[in-house]
Amino acid sequence: MRDLIGRDDVRAAYAVQSVLHERALAAGRRVAGRKIGLTAPAVQAQLGVDQPDFGVLYADMDVTADATRSGVETTRLLQPKIEAEVAFVLAKDLHSPTADGTFRAEELADAIAAVVPALEIVDSRVAGWDISFGDTVADNASSGLYVLGTDRAEPDLFGPDLDAGLAAVSMTMMRGDAADAEQVSAGHGADCLGSPLRALAWLASTAVRFGDPLRAGQVVLAGALGPMVPVAAGDTFRADITGLGSVAARFTPSSREHS
C-alpha cells in the first residue's frame, strides 16, 4: 500500500482501512471491539515506526474456545506472530471526552467491566512483514486473531491508581510444553504507552475523533507488553501477567503439512 498512499499518510491509511471495514460489515462480519497496535517500543523498533495505530476486532477473530482445545488452525493465517497483552472488556460507552478531547483516568476505570490477559495473533498480507506505518494501518493494523484468558479482574484489584497499577504488571511468555518451555518474550505494563490504561485513553479519544466511539460490551486489546514472536504449526504458547493470571494457545498443523 505504501507505493500507492505513502509510508506515513495517516488519513489515507485509515481511509483504506475504513473501506475494507465497510466491506467486512456488508459481508456479515460483526464488530467485537478494537485493537491498539505498535504501543511497545520493542515492537515499534521491530517494525520501524514511532506511533500507535488501531484496528477493528471482528467476532470471528476470537479463537478463545479453540485455543487450548482443538487448537488454532494455521491455515487461517499467512505469516502469524504472537504477542501478550492486557485486554479490557467495556461496561459503558466512551463517547463523551472532556473539552480537550481526552478521557480522565477515573472515567476510563468506571467504564471497564473486566481486565483480562490476552494473546493477539497478528498477521500481515505484506510478504516478509516488510511494512511501513501506512501498510499496517491499511491492513487493519495487522490484525489476525485473538485469545482471551479465563481469569478476569475488576479494575479496583490494581489499587486506587489504575494507571500505576497496570503500568507495574509484568509479563512473561513461554513457548513449548511445561517440561521444555523456553521464554520468548517479556515486558511490563509500562512498555505499553506507559500503561495499558493510557493506551485505552488514546484509543477512546481517537475513536471519538474518527466518529466511531468505543461501546459497552466491546473488547479492547491494549497493545503488546513485549516483542512479538513468530508462530509455527505445533507451537504452544503461555503468557503470565502478574495480577491477571495466564492465557494460552496451541497451534495445529495445516492439512497441507499433514499430507
Side-chain angles (χ1 to χ4, degrees), residues 139-177:
D139 193 18
N140 197 28
S142 300
S143 298
L145 307 170
Y146 67 95
V147 179
L148 298 179
T150 57
D151 298 313
R152 300 196 169 203
E154 295 185 359
D156 58 9
L157 179 69
F158 297 90
D161 187 341
L162 181 59
D163 181 58
L166 288 173
V169 303
S170 61
M171 177 278 296
T172 303
M173 185 163 65
M174 311 295 289
R175 176 169 55 200
D177 296 326

Side-chain angles (χ1 to χ4, degrees), residues 18-253:
S18 179
V19 169
L20 296 176
H21 174 56
E22 291 302 322
R23 290 181 181 177
L25 295 179
R29 299 184 80 180
R30 181 172 60 83
V31 175
R34 308 284 180 83
K35 63 150 288 183
I36 310 167
L38 311 181
T39 54
V43 175
Q44 290 184 359
Q46 280 182 307
L47 298 185
V49 298
D50 60 0
Q51 57 183 308
D53 68 350
F54 73 87
V56 180
L57 298 178
Y58 299 101
D60 58 9
M61 294 167 58
D62 182 357
V63 292
T64 301
D66 297 331
T68 56
R69 297 176 187 174
S70 58
V72 179
E73 295 182 1
T74 54
T75 48
R76 297 186 60 175
L77 303 156
L78 297 172
Q79 44 184 348
K81 298 186 180 187
I82 194 168
E83 50 194 34
E85 310 190 4
V86 169
F88 300 105
V89 180
L90 299 182
K92 298 180 179 180
D93 296 351
L94 286 168
H95 56 69
S96 301
T98 58
D100 64 356
T102 62
F103 286 87
R104 298 185 303 274
E106 57 268 25
E107 184 176 6
L108 293 171
D110 187 53
I112 297 169
V115 188
V116 186
L119 295 171
E120 183 182 5
I121 304 153
V122 293
D123 207 351
S124 179
R125 293 180 177 86
V126 182
W129 281 88
D130 177 22
I131 60 176
S132 68
F133 185 77
D135 292 313
T136 188
V137 170
D139 193 18
N140 197 28
S142 300
S143 298
L145 307 170
Y146 67 95
V147 179
L148 298 179
T150 57
D151 298 313
R152 300 196 169 203
E154 295 185 359
D156 58 9
L157 179 69
F158 297 90
D161 187 341
L162 181 59
D163 181 58
L166 288 173
V169 303
S170 61
M171 177 278 296
T172 303
M173 185 163 65
M174 311 295 289
R175 176 169 55 200
D177 296 326
D180 60 353
E182 60 171 338
Q183 180 176 307
V184 290
S185 184
H188 299 85
D191 297 325
C192 179
L193 286 186
S195 163
L197 191 69
R198 298 182 200 179
L200 176 62
W202 174 85
L203 177 61
S205 298
T206 303
V208 169
R209 193 167 66 250
F210 275 75
D212 190 11
L214 300 178
R215 300 296 184 185
Q218 290 186 339
V219 173
V220 174
L221 301 182
L225 302 180
M228 57 186 182
V229 179
V231 171
D235 281 344
T236 299
F237 293 90
R238 175 189 170 108
D240 293 282
I241 303 176
T242 57
L244 280 181
S246 63
V247 57
R250 181 171 61 88
F251 293 85
T252 59

